[in-house]
Amino acid sequence: MGWSAAASALRPEVESVTVVEFGPAVIALHEALGIFAQLPPEARAKIRIVRGDAHAWMPDGPVDLLMPDIWLPLVSDGRVAEVRRMQAKVRAGAVYFWGQEMEIARHAALAGRDLDDDGIRATIADVDLLLIGPDMPGYAEKVRLAAQRPMRGRWLAGASRAPK
């Protein structure tokens, strides 16, 4: 826990970072490792750790970015629906979730779409989240690489088209 939070807190335009963690043992380990204590004071002051369930957590005010990173498997059935439910509570201006590119590839393949610009764009429209990344140049290529390299197609079982 904490590397994305630390990197975000180091950015001058970021005002605050809230980490929602369910496990008290994870919080205790994080405190023992002192990851945030290694940050400059101005970055460290931006971070707040809240013990809670990320599925139920509600923010105190507006949220610019929701970054759920709560799953052990990189892809899983129901992942996009879980993120949608979190986003419905948080109402962030943008979303980036753990395994996002692999989930996009998997959903594209399940819909019978190629992993090209058109197929990825149509799949992102179906995902219906304010995702960070799709506007970046070469995003479809990033999705293809995410689908090919680490998972080697194993999680596309049953999909009508494997990544190219």
Side-chain angles (χ1 to χ4, degrees):
M1 174 179 81
W3 296 112
S4 292
S8 296
L10 287 166
R11 298 184 60 90
E13 67 272 22
V14 171
E15 295 175 11
S16 67
V17 177
T18 301
V19 176
V20 179
E21 173 55 48
F22 186 75
V26 174
I27 294 171
L29 175 63
H30 190 272
E31 289 170 358
L33 293 173
I35 294 169
F36 295 152
Q38 298 171 45
L39 295 173
E42 62 275 4
R44 190 170 54 240
K46 296 177 186 180
I47 300 174
R48 172 176 74 125
I49 299 175
V50 174
R51 187 184 181 299
D53 181 347
H55 294 284
W57 182 77
M58 299 283 290
D60 299 335
V63 173
D64 294 322
L65 175 63
L66 170 65
M67 287 185 67
D69 179 2
I70 61 172
W71 306 277
L72 281 178
L74 290 173
V75 295
S76 66
D77 291 336
R79 170 81 42 89
V80 170
E82 285 182 76
V83 176
R84 281 189 197 122
R85 285 191 298 274
M86 282 185 241
Q87 171 63 346
K89 288 181 176 31
V90 173
R91 298 181 192 186
V95 175
Y96 185 87
F97 64 92
W98 174 249
Q100 174 176 304
E101 286 74 22
M102 287 181 263
E103 280 293 331
I104 291 168
R106 187 171 75 91
H107 282 259
L110 289 169
R113 296 183 181 122
D114 289 326
L115 298 183
D116 58 10
D117 289 336
D118 291 337
I120 298 303
R121 196 172 12 262
T123 302
I124 290 168
D126 289 349
V127 167
D128 194 29
L129 287 164
L130 302 168
L131 298 177
I132 287 182
D135 293 336
M136 295 172 45
Y139 190 72
E141 178 64 17
K142 290 175 182 17
V143 170
R144 278 192 297 279
L145 290 173
Q148 290 173 345
R149 288 184 182 160
M151 301 306 283
R152 293 183 175 75
R154 291 187 300 257
W155 47 269
L156 291 169
S160 60
R161 295 181 188 214
K164 295 179 180 179

Coordinates of all heavy atoms in Angstrom, one line a residue, residues 108-157:
A108 N -13.1 -6.2 -24.4 CA -13.1 -6.1 -25.9 C -13.2 -7.5 -26.5 O -14.0 -7.8 -27.4 CB -11.9 -5.4 -26.4
A109 N -12.3 -8.4 -26.0 CA -12.3 -9.8 -26.6 C -13.6 -10.5 -26.3 O -14.2 -11.2 -27.2 CB -11.2 -10.6 -25.9
L110 N -14.2 -10.3 -25.1 CA -15.5 -11.0 -24.8 C -16.6 -10.4 -25.7 O -17.6 -11.1 -26.0 CB -15.8 -10.8 -23.4 CG -15.0 -11.6 -22.4 CD1 -15.3 -11.2 -21.0 CD2 -15.3 -13.1 -22.6
A111 N -16.5 -9.1 -26.2 CA -17.5 -8.5 -27.1 C -17.2 -8.8 -28.5 O -17.9 -8.4 -29.4 CB -17.5 -7.0 -26.8
G112 N -16.1 -9.6 -28.8 CA -15.8 -9.9 -30.1 C -15.1 -8.8 -30.9 O -15.1 -8.8 -32.1
R113 N -14.5 -7.9 -30.2 CA -13.8 -6.8 -30.8 C -12.3 -7.0 -31.0 O -11.7 -7.6 -30.1 CB -14.0 -5.5 -30.0 CG -15.5 -5.1 -29.9 CD -15.6 -3.8 -29.2 NE -17.0 -3.4 -29.1 CZ -17.7 -3.2 -28.0 NH1 -17.1 -3.3 -26.8 NH2 -19.0 -2.9 -28.0
D114 N -11.8 -6.4 -32.0 CA -10.3 -6.4 -32.1 C -9.7 -5.4 -31.1 O -10.4 -4.5 -30.7 CB -9.9 -6.0 -33.6 CG -10.2 -7.0 -34.6 OD1 -10.2 -8.2 -34.3 OD2 -10.6 -6.6 -35.7
L115 N -8.5 -5.7 -30.8 CA -7.8 -4.8 -29.9 C -7.1 -3.7 -30.7 O -5.9 -3.5 -30.5 CB -6.8 -5.6 -29.0 CG -7.4 -6.6 -28.1 CD1 -6.3 -7.2 -27.2 CD2 -8.5 -6.0 -27.2
D116 N -7.8 -3.0 -31.5 CA -7.3 -1.9 -32.2 C -8.0 -0.6 -31.7 O -8.8 -0.7 -30.7 CB -7.6 -2.1 -33.7 CG -9.1 -2.2 -34.1 OD1 -9.9 -2.0 -33.2 OD2 -9.4 -2.6 -35.2
D117 N -7.7 0.5 -32.3 CA -8.3 1.8 -31.8 C -9.8 1.8 -31.7 O -10.4 2.2 -30.7 CB -7.8 3.0 -32.7 CG -6.3 3.3 -32.5 OD1 -5.8 3.0 -31.4 OD2 -5.7 3.9 -33.4
D118 N -10.4 1.3 -32.8 CA -11.9 1.3 -32.8 C -12.5 0.3 -31.7 O -13.4 0.6 -31.0 CB -12.4 0.9 -34.2 CG -12.1 2.0 -35.2 OD1 -12.0 3.1 -34.8 OD2 -12.1 1.6 -36.4
G119 N -11.9 -0.9 -31.6 CA -12.4 -1.9 -30.7 C -12.2 -1.4 -29.2 O -13.1 -1.6 -28.4
I120 N -11.0 -0.8 -29.0 CA -10.7 -0.3 -27.6 C -11.7 0.9 -27.3 O -12.2 0.9 -26.2 CB -9.3 0.1 -27.5 CG1 -8.4 -1.1 -27.7 CG2 -9.0 0.8 -26.1 CD1 -8.6 -2.3 -26.8
R121 N -11.8 1.8 -28.2 CA -12.7 2.9 -28.0 C -14.2 2.5 -27.7 O -14.8 3.0 -26.8 CB -12.7 3.8 -29.3 CG -13.2 5.2 -29.0 CD -13.0 6.2 -30.2 NE -12.5 5.7 -31.5 CZ -11.3 5.7 -31.9 NH1 -10.3 6.2 -31.1 NH2 -10.9 5.2 -33.1
A122 N -14.7 1.5 -28.5 CA -16.0 1.0 -28.3 C -16.1 0.3 -26.9 O -17.2 0.5 -26.2 CB -16.4 0.0 -29.4
T123 N -15.1 -0.4 -26.5 CA -15.1 -1.1 -25.2 C -15.1 -0.1 -24.1 O -15.8 -0.3 -23.1 CB -14.0 -2.1 -25.1 OG1 -14.1 -3.0 -26.2 CG2 -14.0 -2.8 -23.8
I124 N -14.3 0.9 -24.2 CA -14.2 2.0 -23.2 C -15.6 2.7 -23.1 O -16.1 2.9 -21.9 CB -13.1 3.0 -23.4 CG1 -11.8 2.2 -23.2 CG2 -13.2 4.2 -22.6 CD1 -10.6 3.0 -23.7
A125 N -16.3 2.9 -24.2 CA -17.6 3.5 -24.1 C -18.6 2.5 -23.4 O -19.4 3.0 -22.5 CB -18.1 3.7 -25.5
D126 N -18.4 1.2 -23.6 CA -19.3 0.3 -22.8 C -19.0 0.2 -21.3 O -19.8 0.1 -20.5 CB -19.1 -1.2 -23.4 CG -19.7 -1.4 -24.7 OD1 -20.4 -0.5 -25.2 OD2 -19.4 -2.4 -25.3
V127 N -17.7 0.4 -21.0 CA -17.3 0.4 -19.6 C -17.9 1.6 -18.9 O -18.3 1.4 -17.7 CB -15.7 0.5 -19.5 CG1 -15.2 0.8 -18.1 CG2 -15.1 -0.9 -20.0
D128 N -18.1 2.7 -19.5 CA -18.9 3.8 -19.0 C -18.3 4.3 -17.7 O -19.1 4.5 -16.7 CB -20.4 3.4 -18.9 CG -21.3 4.6 -18.7 OD1 -20.9 5.7 -19.1 OD2 -22.3 4.5 -18.0
L129 N -17.0 4.6 -17.7 CA -16.4 5.3 -16.6 C -15.5 6.4 -17.1 O -15.1 6.3 -18.3 CB -15.5 4.3 -15.8 CG -16.2 3.2 -14.9 CD1 -15.2 2.1 -14.6 CD2 -16.8 3.9 -13.7
L130 N -15.3 7.4 -16.3 CA -14.4 8.5 -16.7 C -13.0 8.1 -16.6 O -12.3 8.6 -15.7 CB -14.8 9.8 -15.9 CG -16.2 10.2 -15.9 CD1 -16.5 11.3 -14.8 CD2 -16.5 10.8 -17.3
L131 N -12.5 7.2 -17.4 CA -11.2 6.7 -17.3 C -10.0 7.6 -17.7 O -10.1 8.3 -18.7 CB -11.1 5.4 -18.1 CG -12.0 4.3 -17.7 CD1 -11.8 3.1 -18.7 CD2 -11.8 3.8 -16.3
I132 N -9.0 7.5 -16.9 CA -7.7 8.2 -17.3 C -7.0 7.2 -18.2 O -6.9 6.0 -17.9 CB -6.9 8.5 -16.0 CG1 -7.5 9.7 -15.3 CG2 -5.4 8.8 -16.4 CD1 -6.7 10.1 -14.1
G133 N -6.4 7.7 -19.2 CA -5.6 6.9 -20.1 C -6.0 6.8 -21.5 O -5.2 7.0 -22.4
P134 N -7.3 6.6 -21.8 CA -7.7 6.4 -23.1 C -7.4 7.6 -24.1 O -7.3 7.4 -25.3 CB -9.2 6.2 -23.0 CG -9.4 5.6 -21.7 CD -8.3 6.3 -20.8
D135 N -7.2 8.8 -23.6 CA -6.9 9.9 -24.4 C -5.4 10.0 -24.7 O -5.0 10.8 -25.5 CB -7.4 11.2 -23.8 CG -8.9 11.3 -23.7 OD1 -9.6 10.7 -24.5 OD2 -9.4 12.0 -22.8
M136 N -4.6 9.2 -24.1 CA -3.2 9.2 -24.3 C -2.9 8.6 -25.7 O -3.5 7.7 -26.1 CB -2.4 8.4 -23.3 CG -2.5 8.9 -21.9 SD -1.8 7.8 -20.6 CE -0.3 7.3 -21.4
P137 N -1.9 9.2 -26.4 CA -1.5 8.6 -27.7 C -1.0 7.2 -27.5 O -0.3 6.9 -26.5 CB -0.3 9.5 -28.1 CG -0.4 10.8 -27.3 CD -1.1 10.4 -26.0
G138 N -1.4 6.3 -28.4 CA -1.0 4.9 -28.4 C -1.7 4.1 -27.3 O -1.1 3.0 -26.9
Y139 N -2.8 4.5 -26.8 CA -3.4 3.8 -25.7 C -3.8 2.4 -26.1 O -3.7 1.4 -25.3 CB -4.6 4.5 -25.1 CG -5.2 3.9 -23.8 CD1 -4.5 4.1 -22.7 CD2 -6.3 3.2 -23.8 CE1 -4.9 3.5 -21.5 CE2 -6.8 2.6 -22.7 CZ -6.1 2.8 -21.5 OH -6.6 2.2 -20.3
A140 N -4.4 2.2 -27.3 CA -4.7 0.9 -27.8 C -3.5 0.0 -27.8 O -3.6 -1.2 -27.4 CB -5.4 1.0 -29.2
E141 N -2.4 0.5 -28.1 CA -1.2 -0.4 -28.1 C -0.8 -0.8 -26.7 O -0.4 -1.9 -26.4 CB 0.0 0.4 -28.8 CG 1.3 -0.3 -28.7 CD 1.3 -1.6 -29.6 OE1 0.4 -1.8 -30.4 OE2 2.2 -2.5 -29.3
K142 N -1.0 0.2 -25.8 CA -0.7 -0.2 -24.3 C -1.7 -1.3 -23.9 O -1.3 -2.2 -23.1 CB -0.9 1.1 -23.5 CG 0.2 2.1 -23.6 CD -0.1 3.4 -22.8 CE 0.8 4.5 -22.9 NZ 1.7 4.6 -24.0
V143 N -2.9 -1.2 -24.3 CA -3.9 -2.2 -23.9 C -3.5 -3.6 -24.5 O -3.5 -4.6 -23.9 CB -5.3 -1.8 -24.4 CG1 -6.3 -3.0 -24.2 CG2 -5.8 -0.6 -23.6
R144 N -3.1 -3.6 -25.8 CA -2.6 -4.8 -26.5 C -1.4 -5.4 -25.7 O -1.4 -6.6 -25.5 CB -2.2 -4.6 -27.9 CG -3.4 -4.5 -28.8 CD -3.0 -4.6 -30.3 NE -2.2 -3.4 -30.7 CZ -2.7 -2.2 -31.1 NH1 -4.0 -2.0 -31.0 NH2 -1.9 -1.3 -31.4
L145 N -0.4 -4.6 -25.4 CA 0.7 -5.1 -24.7 C 0.4 -5.6 -23.3 O 0.9 -6.6 -22.9 CB 1.8 -4.0 -24.5 CG 2.5 -3.6 -25.8 CD1 3.3 -2.3 -25.6 CD2 3.3 -4.7 -26.4
A146 N -0.5 -4.9 -22.6 CA -1.0 -5.4 -21.3 C -1.6 -6.8 -21.4 O -1.5 -7.6 -20.5 CB -1.9 -4.4 -20.6
A147 N -2.4 -7.0 -22.5 CA -3.1 -8.3 -22.7 C -2.1 -9.4 -23.1 O -2.3 -10.5 -22.7 CB -4.1 -8.1 -23.8
Q148 N -1.1 -9.1 -23.8 CA -0.2 -10.1 -24.4 C 0.9 -10.5 -23.4 O 1.1 -11.7 -23.2 CB 0.5 -9.6 -25.6 CG -0.4 -9.4 -26.8 CD 0.3 -8.8 -28.0 OE1 1.3 -8.2 -27.8 NE2 -0.4 -8.9 -29.1
R149 N 1.6 -9.6 -22.7 CA 2.8 -9.9 -22.0 C 2.5 -10.6 -20.7 O 2.8 -11.8 -20.6 CB 3.6 -8.6 -21.7 CG 4.2 -8.1 -23.0 CD 5.1 -6.9 -22.7 NE 5.7 -6.5 -23.9 CZ 6.2 -5.3 -24.1 NH1 6.1 -4.4 -23.1 NH2 6.7 -4.9 -25.2
P150 N 1.9 -9.9 -19.7 CA 1.9 -10.6 -18.4 C 0.9 -11.8 -18.3 O 1.2 -12.8 -17.6 CB 1.5 -9.5 -17.4 CG 0.9 -8.5 -18.2 CD 1.4 -8.6 -19.6
M151 N -0.2 -11.7 -19.0 CA -1.2 -12.8 -18.9 C -1.1 -13.8 -20.0 O -1.7 -14.9 -19.9 CB -2.6 -12.2 -18.8 CG -2.8 -11.2 -17.7 SD -2.3 -11.8 -16.1 CE -3.8 -12.8 -15.7
R152 N -0.5 -13.5 -21.1 CA -0.3 -14.5 -22.2 C -1.6 -15.1 -22.6 O -1.6 -16.3 -23.0 CB 0.7 -15.5 -21.8 CG 2.1 -14.9 -21.7 CD 3.1 -16.0 -21.4 NE 4.5 -15.5 -21.3 CZ 5.0 -14.8 -20.3 NH1 4.3 -14.6 -19.3 NH2 6.2 -14.5 -20.3
G153 N -2.7 -14.3 -22.5 CA -4.0 -14.8 -23.0 C -4.7 -15.8 -22.1 O -5.9 -16.1 -22.5
R154 N -4.2 -16.2 -21.0 CA -4.8 -17.2 -20.1 C -6.2 -16.7 -19.7 O -7.1 -17.5 -19.6 CB -4.0 -17.4 -18.9 CG -2.7 -18.2 -19.2 CD -2.0 -18.6 -17.9 NE -1.7 -17.4 -17.1 CZ -0.5 -16.9 -17.0 NH1 0.5 -17.4 -17.6 NH2 -0.2 -15.8 -16.3
W155 N -6.4 -15.4 -19.4 CA -7.6 -15.0 -18.8 C -8.6 -14.6 -19.9 O -9.7 -14.2 -19.6 CB -7.4 -13.8 -17.9 CG -6.5 -12.8 -18.5 CD1 -5.1 -12.7 -18.3 CD2 -6.8 -11.7 -19.3 NE1 -4.6 -11.7 -19.0 CE2 -5.6 -11.0 -19.6 CE3 -8.0 -11.2 -19.8 CZ2 -5.6 -9.9 -20.5 CZ3 -8.0 -10.1 -20.7 CH2 -6.8 -9.4 -21.0
L156 N -8.3 -14.8 -21.1 CA -9.2 -14.6 -22.3 C -10.0 -15.9 -22.6 O -10.6 -15.9 -23.6 CB -8.5 -14.0 -23.5 CG -7.9 -12.6 -23.3 CD1 -7.0 -12.3 -24.4 CD2 -9.0 -11.6 -23.2
A157 N -9.8 -16.9 -21.8 CA -10.5 -18.2 -22.1 C -12.0 -17.9 -22.3 O -12.7 -17.2 -21.5 CB -10.3 -19.1 -21.0

